[in-house]
């Protein structure tokens, strides 16, 4: 028998459509799922980043607060150490056989000739060989004047009597404000070891 040939004479718009293309549909669905997954992943990461940034800001604020507290604690500790040093100096001076009131008067008389010099701090350092330590300053960076001041301390017979020489470091230059005739100063340390033999003789 001969196979029958069927011809669809209906117009295209009235013909029955072909079956759905499943591979194409699955690929489209997979693409949509991947896009949605990436959007969800991005949203999750954004939330984590926001949370971490908030934690970082809080930690930085806490760190700044702790640093400020640490500065306050250090300032208090420095003040305590300074007061203890002064207390020890007073004790050492009270136990020393040197008449320090007279020695300070002699120092004041010497410095009256150097009106542009002053003493920032003065300490009596304890130990096997006690010594008087002074932090000094002078208007302008004039090393000749500094040398002259050192010689005056060392060579004055009354002031230098209880000391065994003089040691001093090199003067450093520092800028200053508030002075009309000077914009800098010289800062230097002076160390005067006590002459133990003379102190012993005085104590007898």
């Amino acid at each position: 028998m001969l196979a029958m040939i069927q011809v669809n004479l209906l117009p295209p718009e009235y013909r029955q459509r072909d079956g759905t293309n499943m591979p194409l549909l699955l690929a489209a669905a997979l693409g949509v799922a991947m896009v949605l997954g990436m959007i969800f992943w991005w949203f999750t990461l954004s939330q984590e980043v926001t949370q971490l940034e908030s934690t970082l800001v809080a930690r930085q604020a806490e760190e700044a607060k702790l640093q400020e507290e640490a500065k306050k604690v250090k300032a208090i500790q420095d003040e305590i150490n300074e007061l203890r040093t002064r207390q020890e100096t007073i004790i050492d001076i009270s136990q020393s056989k040197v008449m320090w009131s007279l020695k300070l008067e002699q120092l004041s008389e010497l410095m009256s000739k150097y009106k542009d010099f002053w003493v920032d701090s003065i300490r009596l350092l304890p130990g096997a060989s006690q010594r008087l330590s002074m932090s000094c300053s002078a208007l302008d960076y004039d090393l000749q004047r500094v040398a002259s001041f050192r010689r005056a301390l060392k060579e004055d017979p009354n002031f230098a009597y209880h000391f065994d020489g003089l040691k001093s470091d090199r003067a450093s230059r520092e800028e200053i404000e508030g002075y009309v005739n000077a914009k800098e100063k010289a800062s230097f340390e002076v160390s005067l070891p006590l002459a133990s033999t003379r102190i012993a003789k005085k104590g007898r």
Side-chain angles (χ1 to χ4, degrees), residues 93-141:
I93 289 175
S94 64
Q95 294 177 347
S96 173
K97 293 182 173 61
V98 178
M99 189 179 293
W100 286 106
S101 59
L102 178 60
K103 195 59 61 179
L104 293 176
E105 183 180 347
Q106 294 168 351
L107 175 62
S108 177
E109 184 178 350
L110 274 172
M111 296 198 67
S112 65
K113 303 174 184 177
Y114 295 85
K115 299 186 181 302
D116 49 350
F117 283 68
W118 68 92
V119 176
D120 295 305
S121 66
I122 182 169
R123 295 178 296 167
L124 181 62
L125 301 179
S129 56
Q130 288 185 329
R131 63 186 185 277
L132 188 69
S133 177
M134 297 191 299
S135 297
C136 305
S137 298
L139 288 182
D140 293 326
Y141 188 71

Short mmCIF file of all heavy atoms in Angstrom, two decimals, residues 93-141:
data_model
loop_
_atom_site.label_atom_id
_atom_site.label_comp_id
_atom_site.label_asym_id
_atom_site.label_seq_id
_atom_site.Cartn_x
_atom_site.Cartn_y
_atom_site.Cartn_z
N ILE A 93 69.18 65.53 101.20
CA ILE A 93 69.70 66.83 101.62
C ILE A 93 69.68 66.95 103.14
O ILE A 93 70.63 67.45 103.77
CB ILE A 93 68.89 67.97 100.98
CG1 ILE A 93 69.20 68.04 99.47
CG2 ILE A 93 69.19 69.30 101.63
CD1 ILE A 93 68.36 69.04 98.73
N SER A 94 68.60 66.45 103.74
CA SER A 94 68.49 66.55 105.20
C SER A 94 69.53 65.70 105.91
O SER A 94 69.95 66.01 107.02
CB SER A 94 67.08 66.14 105.64
OG SER A 94 66.85 64.76 105.34
N GLN A 95 69.94 64.59 105.27
CA GLN A 95 70.92 63.70 105.88
C GLN A 95 72.36 64.08 105.54
O GLN A 95 73.30 63.54 106.11
CB GLN A 95 70.67 62.26 105.43
CG GLN A 95 69.34 61.70 105.95
CD GLN A 95 69.07 60.31 105.43
OE1 GLN A 95 69.74 59.84 104.50
NE2 GLN A 95 68.08 59.64 106.01
N SER A 96 72.52 64.99 104.59
CA SER A 96 73.87 65.37 104.17
C SER A 96 74.49 66.32 105.18
O SER A 96 73.81 67.06 105.88
CB SER A 96 73.82 66.03 102.80
OG SER A 96 75.08 66.53 102.45
N LYS A 97 75.81 66.28 105.25
CA LYS A 97 76.55 67.16 106.16
C LYS A 97 76.85 68.51 105.51
O LYS A 97 77.43 69.38 106.14
CB LYS A 97 77.84 66.48 106.60
CG LYS A 97 77.61 65.26 107.48
CD LYS A 97 78.93 64.66 107.92
CE LYS A 97 78.70 63.55 108.94
NZ LYS A 97 77.90 62.44 108.41
N VAL A 98 76.51 68.65 104.24
CA VAL A 98 76.71 69.93 103.56
C VAL A 98 75.57 70.87 103.96
O VAL A 98 74.41 70.48 104.00
CB VAL A 98 76.71 69.74 102.03
CG1 VAL A 98 76.86 71.09 101.33
CG2 VAL A 98 77.84 68.82 101.63
N MET A 99 75.89 72.10 104.25
CA MET A 99 74.88 73.09 104.60
C MET A 99 74.29 73.62 103.28
O MET A 99 74.80 74.58 102.69
CB MET A 99 75.48 74.23 105.41
CG MET A 99 74.44 75.18 105.99
SD MET A 99 75.18 76.50 106.98
CE MET A 99 75.85 75.55 108.36
N TRP A 100 73.22 72.95 102.82
CA TRP A 100 72.72 73.23 101.49
C TRP A 100 72.06 74.61 101.39
O TRP A 100 72.02 75.19 100.31
CB TRP A 100 71.73 72.14 101.07
CG TRP A 100 72.43 70.85 100.73
CD1 TRP A 100 72.47 69.71 101.46
CD2 TRP A 100 73.24 70.62 99.58
NE1 TRP A 100 73.25 68.76 100.84
CE2 TRP A 100 73.74 69.30 99.68
CE3 TRP A 100 73.61 71.39 98.47
CZ2 TRP A 100 74.56 68.72 98.72
CZ3 TRP A 100 74.43 70.82 97.52
CH2 TRP A 100 74.90 69.52 97.64
N SER A 101 71.52 75.10 102.46
CA SER A 101 70.94 76.44 102.39
C SER A 101 72.01 77.46 102.02
O SER A 101 71.78 78.36 101.19
CB SER A 101 70.30 76.80 103.73
OG SER A 101 71.27 76.74 104.78
N LEU A 102 73.20 77.29 102.61
CA LEU A 102 74.31 78.18 102.27
C LEU A 102 74.78 77.94 100.85
O LEU A 102 75.10 78.89 100.12
CB LEU A 102 75.46 77.97 103.25
CG LEU A 102 76.73 78.80 103.00
CD1 LEU A 102 76.41 80.30 103.06
CD2 LEU A 102 77.82 78.44 104.01
N LYS A 103 74.79 76.66 100.43
CA LYS A 103 75.25 76.33 99.08
C LYS A 103 74.30 76.92 98.03
O LYS A 103 74.75 77.45 97.00
CB LYS A 103 75.31 74.81 98.93
CG LYS A 103 76.09 74.32 97.71
CD LYS A 103 77.51 74.79 97.72
CE LYS A 103 78.28 74.28 98.94
NZ LYS A 103 79.70 74.75 98.92
N LEU A 104 73.00 76.87 98.27
CA LEU A 104 72.03 77.46 97.35
C LEU A 104 72.14 78.98 97.32
O LEU A 104 71.95 79.61 96.28
CB LEU A 104 70.61 77.03 97.73
CG LEU A 104 70.29 75.55 97.57
CD1 LEU A 104 68.89 75.24 98.07
CD2 LEU A 104 70.42 75.13 96.10
N GLU A 105 72.45 79.56 98.47
CA GLU A 105 72.66 81.00 98.51
C GLU A 105 73.88 81.39 97.67
O GLU A 105 73.85 82.39 96.95
CB GLU A 105 72.84 81.44 99.96
CG GLU A 105 72.99 82.95 100.12
CD GLU A 105 73.17 83.36 101.58
OE1 GLU A 105 72.92 82.51 102.46
OE2 GLU A 105 73.56 84.51 101.82
N GLN A 106 74.95 80.59 97.77
CA GLN A 106 76.14 80.84 96.95
C GLN A 106 75.82 80.70 95.46
O GLN A 106 76.30 81.48 94.64
CB GLN A 106 77.25 79.88 97.36
CG GLN A 106 77.78 80.11 98.77
CD GLN A 106 78.67 78.98 99.25
OE1 GLN A 106 78.77 77.94 98.61
NE2 GLN A 106 79.30 79.18 100.41
N LEU A 107 75.01 79.69 95.12
CA LEU A 107 74.61 79.49 93.72
C LEU A 107 73.79 80.68 93.23
O LEU A 107 73.99 81.16 92.10
CB LEU A 107 73.81 78.20 93.58
CG LEU A 107 73.22 77.92 92.21
CD1 LEU A 107 74.33 77.76 91.17
CD2 LEU A 107 72.34 76.68 92.24
N SER A 108 72.89 81.16 94.06
CA SER A 108 72.07 82.31 93.69
C SER A 108 72.93 83.54 93.46
O SER A 108 72.69 84.33 92.52
CB SER A 108 71.04 82.57 94.79
OG SER A 108 70.29 83.72 94.50
N GLU A 109 73.94 83.71 94.29
CA GLU A 109 74.84 84.86 94.12
C GLU A 109 75.63 84.75 92.83
O GLU A 109 75.82 85.76 92.12
CB GLU A 109 75.80 84.93 95.31
CG GLU A 109 76.72 86.15 95.28
CD GLU A 109 77.62 86.22 96.50
OE1 GLU A 109 77.40 85.43 97.46
OE2 GLU A 109 78.54 87.05 96.51
N LEU A 110 76.05 83.54 92.49
CA LEU A 110 76.75 83.34 91.23
C LEU A 110 75.85 83.65 90.03
O LEU A 110 76.26 84.32 89.07
CB LEU A 110 77.24 81.89 91.12
CG LEU A 110 78.60 81.57 91.74
CD1 LEU A 110 78.84 80.07 91.71
CD2 LEU A 110 79.71 82.27 90.97
N MET A 111 74.62 83.17 90.08
CA MET A 111 73.72 83.34 88.95
C MET A 111 73.23 84.77 88.80
O MET A 111 72.73 85.14 87.73
CB MET A 111 72.53 82.39 89.09
CG MET A 111 72.93 80.92 89.05
SD MET A 111 71.55 79.84 88.72
CE MET A 111 71.14 80.30 87.03
N SER A 112 73.37 85.59 89.84
CA SER A 112 72.99 86.99 89.72
C SER A 112 73.87 87.72 88.70
O SER A 112 73.49 88.76 88.17
CB SER A 112 73.08 87.67 91.09
OG SER A 112 74.43 87.70 91.54
N LYS A 113 75.04 87.16 88.43
CA LYS A 113 75.94 87.74 87.42
C LYS A 113 75.60 87.22 86.03
O LYS A 113 76.17 87.68 85.04
CB LYS A 113 77.39 87.40 87.76
CG LYS A 113 77.81 87.88 89.15
CD LYS A 113 79.20 87.40 89.49
CE LYS A 113 79.60 87.80 90.90
NZ LYS A 113 80.94 87.29 91.29
N TYR A 114 74.71 86.24 85.93
CA TYR A 114 74.28 85.67 84.65
C TYR A 114 72.76 85.72 84.61
O TYR A 114 72.08 84.71 84.77
CB TYR A 114 74.78 84.23 84.51
CG TYR A 114 76.28 84.10 84.44
CD1 TYR A 114 77.04 84.05 85.61
CD2 TYR A 114 76.95 84.06 83.21
CE1 TYR A 114 78.43 83.94 85.55
CE2 TYR A 114 78.33 83.95 83.15
CZ TYR A 114 79.06 83.89 84.33
OH TYR A 114 80.43 83.78 84.28
N LYS A 115 72.23 86.94 84.40
CA LYS A 115 70.79 87.15 84.50
C LYS A 115 70.01 86.45 83.40
O LYS A 115 68.79 86.29 83.50
CB LYS A 115 70.49 88.65 84.50
CG LYS A 115 71.11 89.38 85.69
CD LYS A 115 70.68 90.82 85.73
CE LYS A 115 71.34 91.56 86.89
NZ LYS A 115 71.04 90.96 88.21
N ASP A 116 70.69 86.08 82.30
CA ASP A 116 70.00 85.37 81.22
C ASP A 116 70.10 83.86 81.37
O ASP A 116 69.76 83.10 80.47
CB ASP A 116 70.57 85.80 79.86
CG ASP A 116 72.09 85.73 79.82
OD1 ASP A 116 72.69 85.55 80.88
OD2 ASP A 116 72.66 85.86 78.72
N PHE A 117 70.56 83.39 82.54
CA PHE A 117 70.65 81.96 82.83
C PHE A 117 69.64 81.62 83.93
O PHE A 117 69.32 82.46 84.78
CB PHE A 117 72.06 81.59 83.33
CG PHE A 117 73.08 81.49 82.23
CD1 PHE A 117 73.49 82.62 81.54
CD2 PHE A 117 73.64 80.27 81.89
CE1 PHE A 117 74.44 82.54 80.54
CE2 PHE A 117 74.59 80.17 80.90
CZ PHE A 117 74.99 81.31 80.21
N TRP A 118 69.16 80.39 83.91
CA TRP A 118 68.29 79.92 84.99
C TRP A 118 68.41 78.41 85.13
O TRP A 118 68.88 77.72 84.23
CB TRP A 118 66.84 80.34 84.76
CG TRP A 118 66.16 79.69 83.60
CD1 TRP A 118 65.42 78.54 83.60
CD2 TRP A 118 66.15 80.16 82.24
NE1 TRP A 118 64.96 78.26 82.35
CE2 TRP A 118 65.38 79.24 81.49
CE3 TRP A 118 66.71 81.26 81.59
CZ2 TRP A 118 65.16 79.40 80.12
CZ3 TRP A 118 66.50 81.41 80.23
CH2 TRP A 118 65.73 80.48 79.51
N VAL A 119 67.99 77.92 86.30
CA VAL A 119 68.03 76.49 86.60
C VAL A 119 66.62 75.92 86.50
O VAL A 119 65.71 76.36 87.20
CB VAL A 119 68.61 76.22 88.01
CG1 VAL A 119 68.56 74.73 88.34
CG2 VAL A 119 70.04 76.73 88.09
N ASP A 120 66.43 74.95 85.59
CA ASP A 120 65.12 74.33 85.42
C ASP A 120 64.83 73.33 86.53
O ASP A 120 63.69 73.23 86.99
CB ASP A 120 65.05 73.62 84.06
CG ASP A 120 65.15 74.61 82.91
OD1 ASP A 120 64.34 75.55 82.87
OD2 ASP A 120 66.02 74.43 82.04
N SER A 121 65.83 72.57 86.93
CA SER A 121 65.64 71.61 88.01
C SER A 121 66.99 71.33 88.67
O SER A 121 68.04 71.47 88.04
CB SER A 121 65.05 70.29 87.48
OG SER A 121 65.95 69.64 86.61
N ILE A 122 66.93 70.94 89.93
CA ILE A 122 68.15 70.64 90.68
C ILE A 122 67.87 69.41 91.54
O ILE A 122 66.83 69.31 92.19
CB ILE A 122 68.59 71.85 91.53
CG1 ILE A 122 69.90 71.53 92.25
CG2 ILE A 122 67.51 72.28 92.50
CD1 ILE A 122 70.54 72.77 92.89
N ARG A 123 68.79 68.44 91.51
CA ARG A 123 68.60 67.19 92.26
C ARG A 123 69.90 66.76 92.90
O ARG A 123 70.98 66.98 92.34
CB ARG A 123 68.12 66.08 91.31
CG ARG A 123 66.75 66.29 90.70
CD ARG A 123 66.41 65.17 89.76
NE ARG A 123 67.33 65.14 88.62
CZ ARG A 123 67.43 64.12 87.76
NH1 ARG A 123 66.68 63.05 87.93
NH2 ARG A 123 68.27 64.18 86.75
N LEU A 124 69.78 66.13 94.04
CA LEU A 124 70.92 65.52 94.69
C LEU A 124 70.81 64.02 94.45
O LEU A 124 69.95 63.35 95.02
CB LEU A 124 70.91 65.82 96.20
CG LEU A 124 72.10 65.24 96.98
CD1 LEU A 124 73.42 65.82 96.49
CD2 LEU A 124 71.92 65.49 98.47
N LEU A 125 71.64 63.49 93.57
CA LEU A 125 71.56 62.09 93.17
C LEU A 125 72.29 61.22 94.18
O LEU A 125 73.45 61.48 94.50
CB LEU A 125 72.16 61.90 91.77
CG LEU A 125 71.49 62.72 90.66
CD1 LEU A 125 72.18 62.46 89.33
CD2 LEU A 125 70.01 62.40 90.56
N PRO A 126 71.61 60.18 94.68
CA PRO A 126 72.23 59.30 95.69
C PRO A 126 73.19 58.32 95.04
O PRO A 126 73.35 58.27 93.82
CB PRO A 126 71.02 58.58 96.29
CG PRO A 126 70.04 58.51 95.16
CD PRO A 126 70.24 59.79 94.37
N GLY A 127 73.82 57.52 95.85
CA GLY A 127 74.74 56.51 95.35
C GLY A 127 76.04 56.53 96.12
O GLY A 127 76.21 57.26 97.10
N ALA A 128 76.98 55.69 95.67
CA ALA A 128 78.28 55.62 96.33
C ALA A 128 78.97 56.98 96.30
O ALA A 128 79.63 57.39 97.25
CB ALA A 128 79.14 54.56 95.66
N SER A 129 78.83 57.66 95.16
CA SER A 129 79.40 59.02 95.05
C SER A 129 78.25 59.98 94.72
O SER A 129 77.80 60.06 93.58
CB SER A 129 80.46 59.07 93.95
OG SER A 129 79.92 58.63 92.72
N GLN A 130 77.77 60.67 95.74
CA GLN A 130 76.67 61.60 95.52
C GLN A 130 77.11 62.75 94.64
O GLN A 130 78.28 63.14 94.63
CB GLN A 130 76.17 62.15 96.86
CG GLN A 130 75.41 61.14 97.70
CD GLN A 130 74.83 61.79 98.95
OE1 GLN A 130 75.40 62.74 99.48
NE2 GLN A 130 73.70 61.30 99.40
N ARG A 131 76.14 63.29 93.92
CA ARG A 131 76.46 64.44 93.07
C ARG A 131 75.23 65.32 92.93
O ARG A 131 74.09 64.84 92.99
CB ARG A 131 76.96 64.00 91.69
CG ARG A 131 75.94 63.24 90.87
CD ARG A 131 76.58 62.72 89.58
NE ARG A 131 75.62 62.09 88.70
CZ ARG A 131 75.21 60.85 88.81
NH1 ARG A 131 75.67 60.08 89.77
NH2 ARG A 131 74.32 60.35 87.95
N LEU A 132 75.50 66.60 92.76
CA LEU A 132 74.43 67.57 92.55
C LEU A 132 74.23 67.71 91.04
O LEU A 132 75.18 67.99 90.31
CB LEU A 132 74.81 68.91 93.17
CG LEU A 132 73.72 69.98 93.18
CD1 LEU A 132 72.61 69.60 94.15
CD2 LEU A 132 74.31 71.34 93.57
N SER A 133 73.01 67.48 90.58
CA SER A 133 72.71 67.55 89.15
C SER A 133 71.76 68.70 88.88
O SER A 133 70.73 68.83 89.55
CB SER A 133 72.09 66.23 88.67
OG SER A 133 71.74 66.31 87.30
N MET A 134 72.10 69.54 87.91
CA MET A 134 71.28 70.70 87.58
C MET A 134 70.99 70.72 86.08
O MET A 134 71.89 70.51 85.26
CB MET A 134 71.98 72.00 87.98
CG MET A 134 72.23 72.14 89.46
SD MET A 134 72.78 73.83 89.91
CE MET A 134 74.31 73.93 88.97
N SER A 135 69.73 70.97 85.74
CA SER A 135 69.35 71.22 84.35
C SER A 135 69.26 72.73 84.16
O SER A 135 68.45 73.39 84.81
CB SER A 135 68.00 70.57 84.03
OG SER A 135 68.08 69.17 84.16
N CYS A 136 70.11 73.26 83.30
CA CYS A 136 70.23 74.72 83.15
C CYS A 136 69.83 75.16 81.74
O CYS A 136 69.89 74.38 80.79
CB CYS A 136 71.66 75.17 83.44
SG CYS A 136 72.27 74.65 85.06
N SER A 137 69.43 76.42 81.65
CA SER A 137 69.08 77.02 80.36
C SER A 137 69.61 78.45 80.32
O SER A 137 69.82 79.08 81.37
CB SER A 137 67.57 77.02 80.14
OG SER A 137 67.06 75.70 80.11
N ALA A 138 69.80 78.94 79.09
CA ALA A 138 70.27 80.31 78.90
C ALA A 138 69.67 80.87 77.63
O ALA A 138 69.56 80.16 76.62
CB ALA A 138 71.79 80.36 78.83
N LEU A 139 69.26 82.12 77.66
CA LEU A 139 68.74 82.76 76.46
C LEU A 139 69.84 82.87 75.41
O LEU A 139 71.00 83.16 75.73
CB LEU A 139 68.21 84.16 76.79
CG LEU A 139 66.90 84.22 77.60
CD1 LEU A 139 66.50 85.68 77.80
CD2 LEU A 139 65.79 83.46 76.89
N ASP A 140 69.47 82.63 74.17
CA ASP A 140 70.39 82.63 73.04
C ASP A 140 71.34 81.43 73.12
O ASP A 140 71.61 80.91 74.21
CB ASP A 140 71.20 83.93 72.93
CG ASP A 140 70.29 85.11 72.60
OD1 ASP A 140 69.31 84.90 71.85
OD2 ASP A 140 70.55 86.23 73.08
N TYR A 141 71.82 81.04 71.98
CA TYR A 141 72.73 79.90 71.91
C TYR A 141 74.16 80.44 71.83
O TYR A 141 74.79 80.46 70.79
CB TYR A 141 72.39 79.04 70.68
CG TYR A 141 73.15 77.74 70.62
CD1 TYR A 141 72.88 76.71 71.50
CD2 TYR A 141 74.13 77.55 69.65
CE1 TYR A 141 73.58 75.51 71.44
CE2 TYR A 141 74.83 76.35 69.58
CZ TYR A 141 74.54 75.34 70.47
OH TYR A 141 75.24 74.16 70.40
#
